[in-house]
Each structure stands twice: as C-alpha cells, then as structure tokens.
Amino acid sequence: SVRVKMSVDALVQQLSALHRACIRPYLAPLLTLITLGGSLLKASQLVAESYFSNRRNALNVYFVKFSWGWTLGLLLPFVFTSNYFVQRDVLFAVRRITSCVVGTAVWFFSTRFFHVIENFTGECYESQNMTVLHEFENLYTCRKHGHLWLGFDISGHSFLLSYCVLIIAEEIAVVNELHKVEQKRGKATATIIKSLFIALNALLLLWVWMFFCTAIYFHDMPHKIIGTAFGISAWYGTYRFWFKKSFSPGLPPEIGKQKV
C-alpha cells in the first residue's frame, strides 16, 4: 500500500542519514572501545551472568556461528542489485560482487591462521584434573578424544563480527545514490533494494550486540583485542586502500560518479 511504501521510504532515508552522519565515520573506533571496555568489565567481574553469557543461546547458535553465511546471503543480492540499479553496468556490478569473494577469502584464511596459532601455542589437558597429556600433540586429536586443548585462542567472533559490521556499513552506503535514479529506473527493483537495506541494518545491529556480548562475557582481553584488530585491519586494507585501486573489486558508486 501507499502508506507502507511511505513508511519504508522514510525508514530508509532516516537510516541512510544516520549512517552518513554518525555510524560509518565512527564505527571502527566504536568497535575498539567496545572491545576494550567490555574486556575491562569482564576482568572486573562486575557483569552478572545472563542469557547471553551462555554459549548455547539461540542468537549465538543460529546466527553468530554462521555469521559469514548470513552476511554473505544478504550482501550478495544487495551488492549486485543496487550497484547495477545505480550504474546500469553489468560488468561493474559483477566486479563489485567480487568484493564478497575477497571477504570470503579473508574470513577463510584468517580463521585458519587463528587455528594454527592456537595449535602451535597450546597443550592437551585431561578435562577432569587438568593434567598435561603429552601423547596428543595437536588440538584436533586432543579434542577428538574428548580432552581440552589450551592455547592462544584469538577470538574468531571478535574478528568476524567486527569485519562483517564494517563491510556491511561500506556496502549499504550505495543507498545514498538510490533516490537520484529511482524514479527513472523502476520502483519494484528499488523496493527490493530498500528491503535488503533494512534487513542488512537489522543484521548489523545484531552483530554489534553479539560483538558486545563477546566483549563482556567471553575470551581474555588479548584474544579479543587481536581478533578485533584483524577485523578492522582487513576492512581498512580492502575498502580504504586496495578497493580504491583500479585492479580491485572497487567501491560502491560515489556521489556524482554514477552513470545516467
């Protein structure tokens, strides 16, 4: 209905303005502050246990465990549709889609690197009395036999959630260009893009909340600081450096540079 469309349009405009003014410019410092502040709260033991301090909570089990899948599932259609809608260039839209391929490579190799570090720095312990079991020399065989491996466990959640939040914020910035071409190029497609935009904002909010829960409930401070540093560095190295080069997936359309 017309009323629903007007409500959606108003929400999109408000969210877009909020991202431009308050969120996108300060997101990386905010994530850093959450990690540091949350880690200090955890160390002080001032935060009481809650539903979210249980690793088996529904948001952790069904969303955070598959956070890259959820992020990719919404980003892929949004990036292609929005970039094509604004530029009207299939090759440009396909090129922009490769940013998701880069993100997947970053996720895959970073998490594998974290496992290597944990394996290299750890030892296997008997779960009950915490005696060292020298016969198990790597974390895979140790855990396979039901024992406990303790090594330097860089927080994969701090890494991936910060990375997902930052790249979502970068990619949805294209909505700033939407209103310039919306009347010319089909309202149905624009509605799909706006729906994906709202869904990505909801996902971003969920990831920030779960990032905060990770900071105050799980891991030690060095594990979270390094994990967050990896996430921010991966975002900065791609969107703020490499993607500005010609031989790259490129950035979302900027103001004044879209084709008409």
Side-chain angles (χ1 to χ4, degrees):
S1 68
V2 175
R3 183 173 296 178
V4 172
K5 183 183 182 302
M6 290 178 64
S7 299
V8 169
D9 288 347
L11 178 59
V12 168
Q13 289 175 7
Q14 291 170 1
L15 287 171
S16 181
L18 187 64
H19 274 280
R20 280 199 310 272
C22 304
I23 297 178
R24 191 162 169 258
Y26 308 110
L27 200 48
L30 174 63
L31 293 170
T32 303
L33 286 175
I34 290 174
T35 293
L36 294 175
S39 297
L40 290 174
L41 281 173
K42 180 179 182 293
S44 68
Q45 299 182 332
L46 294 175
V47 182
E49 290 189 0
S50 72
Y51 175 74
F52 295 103
S53 64
N54 184 342
R55 295 180 185 273
R56 300 300 300 170
N57 75 76
L59 292 181
N60 192 52
V61 172
Y62 297 109
F63 286 91
V64 178
K65 294 290 186 184
F66 306 100
S67 51
W68 184 245
W70 283 103
T71 302
L72 200 63
L74 287 176
L75 271 184
L76 278 171
F78 177 83
V79 170
F80 182 83
T81 308
S82 61
N83 282 267
Y84 176 73
F85 188 75
V86 171
Q87 292 286 83
R88 272 299 191 266
D89 185 338
V90 174
L91 291 179
F92 176 80
V94 170
R95 177 190 173 195
R96 292 271 27 267
I97 278 288
T98 60
S99 64
C100 295
V101 178
V102 171
T104 301
V106 168
W107 159 73
F108 180 83
F109 289 110
S110 294
T111 53
R112 293 303 177 275
F113 175 71
F114 297 165
H115 289 158
V116 170
I117 294 298
E118 185 181 8
N119 183 62
F120 183 75
T121 59
E123 285 186 306
C124 187
Y125 293 84
E126 204 280 323
S127 303
Q128 299 299 321
N129 54 28
M130 296 301 292
T131 56
V132 179
L133 303 173
H134 295 288
E135 60 268 32
F136 301 109
E137 296 182 350
N138 62 70
L139 67 87
Y140 305 105
T141 56
C142 176
R143 290 174 178 172
K144 183 179 179 181
H145 287 82
H147 302 301
L148 183 65
W149 184 272
L150 295 179
F152 193 84
D153 183 18
I154 298 173
S155 175
H157 284 180
S158 293
F159 155 67
L160 190 54
L161 292 175
S162 62
Y163 184 57
C164 287
V165 164
L166 288 164
I167 65 172
I168 288 173
E170 291 287 346
E171 292 296 348
I172 61 179
V174 68
V175 170
N176 298 329
E177 302 295 313
L178 200 62
H179 70 280
K180 297 184 178 182
V181 294
E182 181 178 356
Q183 300 302 321
K184 304 176 184 178
R185 298 180 177 174
K187 296 181 179 179
T189 305
T191 300
I192 293 172
I193 295 170
K194 290 174 183 177
S195 300
L196 288 168
F197 172 77
I198 292 171
L200 281 164
N201 273 276
L203 194 65
L204 186 150
L205 183 62
L206 174 61
W207 291 162
V208 171
W209 170 249
M210 296 308 292
F211 182 83
F212 173 74
C213 290
T214 298
I216 64 173
Y217 289 126
F218 306 110
H219 288 281
D220 295 331
M221 182 184 286
H223 304 161
K224 287 176 285 193
I225 291 175
I226 293 177
T228 303
F230 261 85
I232 293 175
S233 299
W235 156 75
Y236 191 89
T238 50
Y239 283 88
R240 295 300 171 90
F241 181 72
W242 179 33
F243 288 5
K244 291 183 177 181
K245 310 296 182 182
S246 57
F247 188 71
S248 75
L251 294 167
E254 297 176 12
I255 296 173
K257 293 185 178 181
Q258 74 276 19
K259 296 178 180 178
V260 179

